[in-house]
């Protein structure tokens, strides 16, 4: 691995939950794996008041609860905490940033960080245009042969217009290669393994096209509701929160052409072509191929669950979607005519994210009289979480007379790699940002094309108050009408369990 330069990681919004639960625990795991440079400093920045010591104490508590290496020795935790510092400033006041510049210069002199700065924006989105501009006013966006990068959490815009405006604002002061748009889904090991599965195995590539694949489905299901995020979620919804970013990024990895090399620009160029090839949806397409839903009150495992409109911070008359299922097409030679089905929802039976490749059935079903086995085609499941792994469903003969066929699972689980350390998503993405590897980050042009695709759907829902919003009980798999999206006789969505190989045997409910 390329050596990481000495540097300062500045986390704006460091008093918040993301820093406490995800960022600092991930940095500690990197420290335990000896992946951090020798001269490395984390500077938390926010309005809330902390001293260096009180910030360290809070972060140590977060490490003990949320790090993969939560059981590390006191010596290791204390040694890492010596790299943690804090600065309280008003982050929407440009005059305050001279304090940050002064603190960074002190680190360069005292800690040997050599003028290399990585800025992470874990803040409300309204600060995304402001903080980078204030940094630029201090000259912290420039430096010959120095690291000057910004990492921005989602949401990157709330619609096409705001995303374009934010991109333009950032590009006034930064080059595209300095901007890292975070999508934590891309940091998951199984997501990255998609490239390896596709492009290192010659058995898949000849089959990975319209000639052999009947359809592709991508699911991201959550078993919980909006919890305490009702105020935010009611202005977002499932389309903005999940489809436009996470699920479209997974779709691009499934559908992209092989890159010429495994490098950031080459991979992101191929992903961009997928977004450019997504067939735009007309109003008729939106009416027929996009289904939105909202969870309603129900008992789940005998425990009463609130409906979405009863959640804290949610408008009692809200028409915000907590579920979306849609059918879409990619108009290029590889995928012409192959439907892609994408769905996401809250308060579904289980928490699971996976990609399912449905291969076409054999031209002639020779075992049509076998009532226990009816092949609709082989299925390849790429499980992102939980129980990460790969599953291939295939027909096998049952021992004995005749040709009794049974569907069996051929699977691999990451949990089987007991002696192999599997890094967390933020751990991998933070390391890449420190290294300057933007492969797993979203490029501005691709992000705008993704927004361009979903914008007509958002506009249609906004301007058509009679557009259907289906209720579905908590603990169900969403509106029943979503099953009608899947083309093919006797075909429907795959209904997975949290255990990758146990589907069809039992599930959580």
């Amino acid at each position: 691995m390329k050596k990481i330069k000495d540097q300062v990681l500045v986390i704006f919004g460091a008093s918040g939950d993301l820093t406490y639960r995800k960022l600092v625990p991930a940095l500690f795991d990197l420290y335990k794996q000896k992946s951090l440079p020798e001269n490395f400093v984390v500077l938390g920045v926010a309005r809330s008041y902390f001293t260096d010591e009180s910030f360290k104490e809070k972060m140590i508590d977060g490490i003990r609860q949320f790090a993969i290496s939560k059981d590390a020795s006191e010596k290791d935790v204390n040694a890492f905490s010596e790299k943690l510092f804090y600065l309280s400033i008003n982050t929407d006041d440009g005059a305050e940033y001279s304090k940050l510049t002064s603190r960074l210069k002190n680190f360069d002199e005292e800690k040997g960080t050599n003028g290399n700065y990585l800025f992470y924006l874990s803040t409300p989105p309204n600060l995304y245009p402001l903080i980078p501009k204030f940094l630029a006013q201090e000259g912290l966006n420039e430096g010959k042969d120095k690291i000057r990068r910004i990492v921005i959490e989602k949401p990157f815009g709330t619609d096409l217009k705001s995303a374009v405006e934010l991109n333009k604002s950032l590009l006034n002061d930064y080059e595209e290669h300095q901007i890292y748009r975070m999508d934590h889904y891309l940091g998951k090991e199984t997501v990255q393994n998609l490239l390896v599965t596709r492009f290192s195995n010659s058995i898949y590539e000849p089959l990975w096209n319209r000639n052999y694949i009947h359809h592709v489905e991508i699911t991201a299901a959550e078993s919980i509701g909006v919890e305490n995020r009702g105020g935010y979620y009611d202005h977002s919804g499932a389309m903005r929160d999940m489809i436009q970013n996470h699920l479209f990024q997974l779709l691009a990895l499934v559908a992209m052409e092989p890159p010429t090399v495994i490098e950031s620009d080459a991979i992101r160029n191929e992903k961009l072509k997928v977004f450019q090839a997504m067939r735009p949806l007309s109003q008729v397409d939106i009416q027929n191929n996009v289904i939105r839903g909202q969870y309603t009150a129900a008992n789940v495992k005998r425990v009463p669950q609130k409906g979405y409109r009863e959640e804290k911070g949610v408008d009692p008359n809200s028409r915000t979607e907590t579920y979306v299922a849609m059918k879409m097409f990619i108009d290029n030679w590889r995928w012409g005519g192959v439907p892609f089905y994408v769905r996401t929802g809250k308060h579904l039976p289980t928490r699971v994210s996976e990609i399912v490749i449905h291969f076409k059935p054999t031209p002639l079903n020779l075992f049509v009289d076998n009532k226990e086995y009816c092949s609709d085609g082989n299925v390849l499941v790429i499980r992102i979480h939980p129980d990460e792994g790969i599953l291939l469903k295939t027909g096998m003969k049952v021992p004995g007379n005749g040709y009794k066929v049974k569907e069996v699972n051929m699977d691999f689980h990451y949990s089987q790699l007991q002696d192999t350390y599997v890094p967390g998503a933020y751990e991998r993405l933070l390391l890449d940002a420190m290294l300057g590897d933007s492969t797993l980050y979203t490029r501005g042009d691709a992000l705008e094309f993704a927004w361009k695709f979903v914008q007509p759907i958002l506009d249609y829902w906004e301007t058509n108050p009679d557009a259907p919003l289906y209720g579905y009980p908590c603990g169900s798999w969403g509106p029943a009408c979503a099953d009608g999206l899947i083309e093919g006789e006797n075909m429907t969505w795959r209904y997975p369990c949290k255990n990758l190989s146990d589907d069809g045997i039992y599930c959580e409910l």
Side-chain angles (χ1 to χ4, degrees), residues 34-328:
K34 303 188 186 310
S35 296
L36 296 180
E38 182 177 351
N39 298 321
F40 179 73
V41 169
V42 178
L43 177 62
V45 177
R47 294 186 183 189
S48 303
Y49 178 77
F50 285 92
T51 64
D52 286 345
E53 289 305 315
S54 61
F55 180 65
K56 289 177 184 179
E57 290 175 7
K58 179 179 179 180
M59 294 303 108
I60 288 174
D61 183 62
I63 289 169
R64 287 301 187 195
Q65 290 192 62
F66 303 109
I68 296 174
S69 309
K70 60 173 64 74
D71 297 325
S73 68
E74 287 292 327
K75 179 181 178 181
D76 283 339
V77 173
N78 290 334
F80 171 77
S81 72
E82 292 303 309
K83 301 178 181 295
L84 303 178
F85 299 87
Y86 189 82
L87 175 66
S88 177
I89 64 171
N90 183 356
T91 48
D92 59 5
D93 181 358
E96 295 264 288
Y97 282 69
S98 60
K99 300 176 184 177
L100 172 61
T101 304
S102 176
R103 196 76 185 271
L104 292 174
K105 288 181 179 178
N106 288 340
F107 288 139
D108 292 337
E109 295 171 1
E110 299 172 9
K111 305 293 184 181
T113 48
N114 200 31
N116 294 318
Y117 312 136
L118 174 63
F119 302 101
Y120 195 113
L121 275 60
S122 175
T123 66
N126 65 298
L127 293 176
Y128 291 171
L130 293 179
I131 291 175
K133 189 168 293 296
F134 293 148
L135 293 173
Q137 289 173 4
E138 291 290 317
L140 296 174
N141 60 328
E142 298 175 342
K144 187 177 181 181
D145 300 324
K146 303 294 184 184
I147 293 173
R148 301 293 164 90
R149 304 179 189 127
I150 54 174
V151 181
I152 300 180
E153 274 282 349
K154 81 171 186 75
F156 196 94
T158 57
D159 54 18
L160 176 59
K161 181 182 178 182
S162 59
V164 170
E165 289 175 350
L166 181 53
N167 269 335
K168 286 182 178 178
S169 174
L170 293 173
L171 291 170
N172 284 333
D173 299 306
Y174 300 83
E175 300 293 331
E176 174 64 36
H177 67 82
Q178 294 177 281
I179 305 169
Y180 287 65
R181 299 168 187 84
M182 170 70 76
D183 189 329
H184 69 268
Y185 258 55
L186 298 185
K188 298 179 185 295
E189 197 68 26
T190 36
V191 173
Q192 299 159 45
N193 191 49
L194 259 173
L195 294 176
V196 177
T197 300
R198 287 195 57 194
F199 303 133
S200 72
N201 297 293
S202 60
I203 61 171
Y204 291 122
E205 178 56 27
L207 309 179
W208 210 266
N209 55 59
R210 67 186 185 280
N211 296 322
Y212 295 97
I213 292 179
H214 184 273
H215 68 278
V216 177
E217 61 174 289
I218 302 174
T219 292
E222 297 181 70
S223 58
I224 59 173
V226 295
E227 296 188 305
N228 295 319
R229 297 174 65 228
Y232 158 77
Y233 196 89
D234 207 37
H235 294 91
S236 174
M239 182 66 77
R240 291 181 172 94
D241 192 48
M242 292 293 293
I243 300 282
Q244 178 272 331
N245 40 68
H246 300 327
L247 271 66
F248 277 6
Q249 289 296 320
L250 298 182
L251 182 148
L253 289 170
V254 172
M256 64 183 275
E257 295 297 319
T260 52
V261 290
I262 298 297
E263 291 180 356
S264 176
D265 283 342
I267 292 172
R268 299 204 293 179
N269 286 342
E270 298 303 333
K271 290 169 66 177
L272 173 64
K273 294 175 186 177
V274 174
F275 295 126
Q276 292 172 326
M278 294 194 308
R279 184 188 301 174
L281 297 177
S282 66
Q283 283 204 5
V284 174
D285 292 329
I286 295 170
Q287 292 167 7
N288 295 332
N289 296 339
V290 181
I291 292 173
R292 62 174 177 164
Q294 189 182 89
Y295 64 81
T296 59
N299 289 340
V300 178
K301 296 181 180 178
R302 300 181 181 179
V303 178
Q305 300 293 332
K306 293 180 180 179
Y308 175 71
R309 295 179 181 181
E310 299 165 356
E311 299 279 15
K312 182 180 178 181
V314 174
D315 183 344
N317 298 310
S318 174
R319 293 182 61 80
T320 298
E321 76 286 356
T322 62
Y323 174 96
V324 174
M326 60 191 300
K327 177 170 68 175
M328 53 189 295

Side-chain angles (χ1 to χ4, degrees), residues 331-390:
D331 288 336
N332 59 23
W333 278 30
R334 181 183 290 268
W335 296 110
V338 177
F340 283 72
Y341 300 96
V342 177
R343 67 171 171 172
T344 185
K346 290 188 174 295
H347 253 317
L348 302 183
T350 188
R351 175 178 176 263
V352 61
S353 293
E354 65 181 23
I355 298 160
V356 187
I357 311 297
H358 293 263
F359 293 95
K360 291 182 177 179
T362 55
L364 176 64
N365 187 355
L366 296 175
F367 309 102
V368 68
D369 294 330
N370 188 339
K371 296 180 180 179
E372 295 184 17
Y373 176 75
C374 180
S375 175
D376 291 323
N378 299 109
V379 175
L380 177 67
V381 181
I382 301 168
R383 174 62 68 84
I384 295 163
H385 72 79
D387 195 15
E388 294 86 348
I390 297 177

